[in-house]
Amino acid sequence: MSTITSSSAASAASATVAADNAALQQAMQSVITGATGNSSLDVSTLVTALVNSKTAGQVAALTAQQSSDNTQISAFGTLSAALGALETGLTSLSNGGLQNTFTATLSGGTGITATATTGAVAGSYSVAVSQVAASQALSSSAFTASQALGTGTLSLSLGSKSFDVSITSSNNTVAGIAAAINSATGNPGITATVVNGTDGAHLVLASSTTGASNTISVAVGNLSGDNGLSSLGVTSTASTTGGQSTITSANNASAWTQSTAAQDAEFKINGIAASSSTNSVTSAIAGVTLNLTSAAVTTPATTQTLTVAADTTSQASAINNFVSLYNTVVTTMGTLAQYTQGATTQGPLLGDSTLNTIKNALSSIVASGVKNGSTSQSLGSIGISLQADGTLQVDSAALTNALQNNSSTVASLFNSTNGIGAQLSTSITNFTKTGGMIDVRTTALNSDLKSIQTQQTSLNDYIAQLTSQYSAQFTALNTLMATMNNNSQYLTQLFGGTNSAGALATNK
């Protein structure tokens, strides 16, 4: 059982014992009064007072210990939460991600945006876009909306993926065919719609995926009662030279038109030709995603400048966030271990060895810095100083200067091997993990609470037994005293008392 109790709990226990002693004195007065014949015993009050006087110390001690344990468990929960928040905030400072934070900006044109992520390298690039990626769309010739086109099978393909649609008398109108295509099992991304023009209803097929290879083809088989179904056959050919797709209708040159061709995005990076099946280009420049729109395609072609640079604003924000979270941990530990002279309530973890171990470990890491061979780097070299109360303070100007002009020092301080972030993260994990110091302490406290509950149950049983025993004894005593008082009064009536003559004395 833990021996640490709060001063307020101890004071409450003392007050309880004092109150029980006063109640006992009051109850005992009833015994004296009853014994002199003035009244009967107040059995209930007397029993309660006697039982409380005998058990008050134990009850108060268990209650105080229970309160102390719960307070300490709550305190460790508060500490663990603050440490967890700090560990989360250390992510980019412990895994090397801080150095992989870049901005990507374009100038000299429109229609292109860019983002830089892990793997990017600071530098400048020229970008010129000649065409953007597009998804193919085909429109059939016109039919009467209610026209039954016949029955058969449509075999559709999108790139290398294909599926079949059965056309029967129940779905062989333009609208029925469109619905059958959209609901077909295995459809890889062909959307069918009906466009009603002045000349009639057109079946429109569109690919959901951009790129020159994602072309749509339709083959018609098993024809019966052909009334236009055969004209839905079409073959699309992808361009192999970076251009646009072309189409060939099966039995009628004008049966289909290509409203939008399938094509890749075509562009140059520093004069080097490249292509992409989508307008989100991730493979052209390592760590950089280019987002292309048609606004980037101009005549004559416009060359834009892409600049990739370290994102010092985000880096400063991450470091300032770390300092703020670290200071929260320090402040939290200070509150939990606070000592106030003359106060009845002190910090719940005042003098606690676990708290002191954690405090010393964290402060040692931020104070020692990072060793790199025979040299070492400290937080002070980037404008972060350790204060007398254990908190950190940031000199914003010095930090900005270090990020812009001394990136190697920043990289060394927050490297993923032995950087400050990595050291703190490892240390915090050891403290907060299952089986770690905090878990061991809270487990012990919870075990102590279970022991207290067992003791309280046993004590309650003892109190009930003692109450029953005293009630029986003092009820019997009360009856005996009442009988004695009655006998005394009878004898006084017969023989007289100090201030009266009895009946026998008068009649003698």
Side-chain angles (χ1 to χ4, degrees):
M1 177 182 296
S2 173
T3 58
I4 300 176
T5 58
S6 65
S7 57
S8 59
S11 298
S14 299
T16 299
V17 173
D20 288 332
N21 287 336
L24 177 62
Q25 292 176 7
Q26 181 179 0
M28 292 304 297
Q29 185 62 44
S30 72
V31 177
I32 298 172
T33 301
T36 58
N38 294 327
S39 66
S40 62
L41 293 175
D42 185 351
V43 174
S44 176
T45 301
L46 179 60
V47 169
T48 299
L50 285 172
V51 171
N52 286 346
S53 68
K54 193 165 186 177
T55 61
Q58 293 171 277
V59 171
L62 289 175
T63 301
Q65 187 61 50
Q66 187 177 49
S67 175
S68 175
D69 285 352
N70 282 321
T71 299
Q72 289 181 72
I73 289 173
S74 177
F76 278 119
T78 299
L79 175 59
S80 184
L83 289 170
L86 173 58
E87 185 174 18
T88 300
L90 286 169
T91 300
S92 66
L93 278 68
S94 61
N95 63 7
L98 183 70
Q99 290 73 50
N100 290 316
T101 306
F102 294 91
T103 59
T105 56
L106 285 118
S107 59
T110 60
I112 308 176
T113 59
T115 56
T117 57
T118 301
V121 177
S124 181
Y125 309 84
S126 64
V127 182
V129 181
S130 55
Q131 73 178 32
V132 294
S135 55
Q136 188 182 34
L138 305 178
S139 298
S140 74
S141 57
F143 300 95
T144 303
S146 59
Q147 179 179 344
L149 303 182
T151 62
T153 302
L154 297 183
S155 297
L156 298 93
S157 63
L158 178 62
S160 61
K161 299 178 180 179
S162 61
F163 63 104
D164 293 338
V165 176
S166 179
I167 305 303
T168 67
S169 59
S170 65
N171 64 357
N172 63 358
T173 62
V174 176
I177 293 173
I181 292 173
N182 290 332
S183 61
T185 301
N187 185 336
I190 297 176
T191 301
T193 56
V194 177
V195 176
N196 293 301
T198 57
D199 55 347
H202 298 258
L203 178 65
V204 176
L205 303 180
S207 168
S208 62
T209 309
T210 60
S213 64
N214 292 309
T215 55
I216 300 170
S217 292
V218 182
V220 182
N222 302 321
L223 274 170
S224 178
D226 183 20
N227 188 30
L229 189 63
S230 62
S231 67
L232 295 183
V234 62
T235 301
S236 295
T237 304
S239 172
T240 58
T241 58
Q244 301 179 333
S245 60
T246 57
I247 65 171
T248 303
S249 297
N251 61 1
N252 185 339
S254 61
W256 286 95
T257 58
Q258 181 174 240
S259 53
T260 304
Q263 64 184 37
D264 288 341
E266 301 289 335
F267 51 90
K268 289 184 177 181
I269 304 293
N270 288 351
I272 301 171
S275 64
S276 170
S277 62
T278 72
N279 290 314
S280 180
V281 182
T282 59
S283 59
I285 304 173
V288 177
T289 298
L290 295 173
N291 299 295
L292 312 179
T293 68
S294 57
V297 182
T298 61
T299 304
T302 299
T303 298
Q304 301 187 44
T305 300
L306 168 66
T307 302
V308 179
D311 187 356
T312 57
T313 300
S314 294
Q315 292 174 358
S317 178
I319 292 173
N320 276 297
N321 183 55
F322 147 65
V323 169
S324 176
L325 291 171
Y326 180 85
N327 288 345
T328 297
V329 171
V330 172
T331 302
T332 299
M333 290 191 294
T335 300
L336 295 176
Q338 184 175 8
Y339 170 74
T340 304
Q341 187 173 4
T344 57
T345 302
Q346 306 293 348
L349 298 182
L350 176 63
D352 185 86
S353 59
T354 297
L355 176 66
N356 289 334
T357 298
I358 295 173
K359 180 180 180 180
N360 292 336
L362 299 185
S363 61
S364 175
I365 291 172
V366 298
S368 300
V370 177
K371 291 184 179 180
N372 184 12
S374 60
T375 63
S376 63
Q377 301 287 350
S378 69
L379 287 173
S381 62
I382 62 171
I384 302 175
S385 56
L386 184 62
Q387 305 301 293
D389 62 358
T391 61
L392 299 174
Q393 186 173 14
V394 180
D395 182 332
S396 297
L399 176 60
T400 299
N401 180 65
L403 291 171
Q404 292 177 347
N405 303 311
N406 198 5
S407 59
S408 61
T409 297
V410 178
S412 175
L413 277 171
F414 297 108
N415 75 81
S416 59
T417 303
N418 68 334
I420 288 178
Q423 291 183 58
L424 286 173
S425 183
T426 299
S427 184
I428 291 171
T429 297
N430 290 334
F431 293 138
T432 58
K433 68 181 180 181
T434 300
M437 293 185 69
I438 293 178
D439 180 59
V440 169
R441 284 300 309 279
T442 54
T443 298
L445 289 167
N446 280 310
S447 177
D448 193 40
L449 285 174
K450 290 181 180 179
S451 174
I452 290 172
Q453 290 175 347
T454 300
Q455 294 176 65
Q456 287 174 328
T457 298
S458 298
L459 183 57
N460 288 336
D461 292 341
Y462 174 66
I463 289 173
Q465 178 185 357
L466 202 59
T467 299
S468 177
Q469 176 185 334
Y470 283 168
S471 293
Q473 291 174 344
F474 283 103
T475 296
L477 177 60
N478 195 33
T479 300
L480 176 61
M481 292 177 65
T483 300
M484 292 175 62
N485 281 331
N486 288 336
N487 291 340
S488 176
Q489 291 174 7
Y490 176 70
L491 292 173
T492 298
Q493 289 175 355
L494 289 177
F495 300 106
T498 304
N499 298 317
S500 64
L504 292 179
T506 303
N507 295 327
K508 63 181 181 177

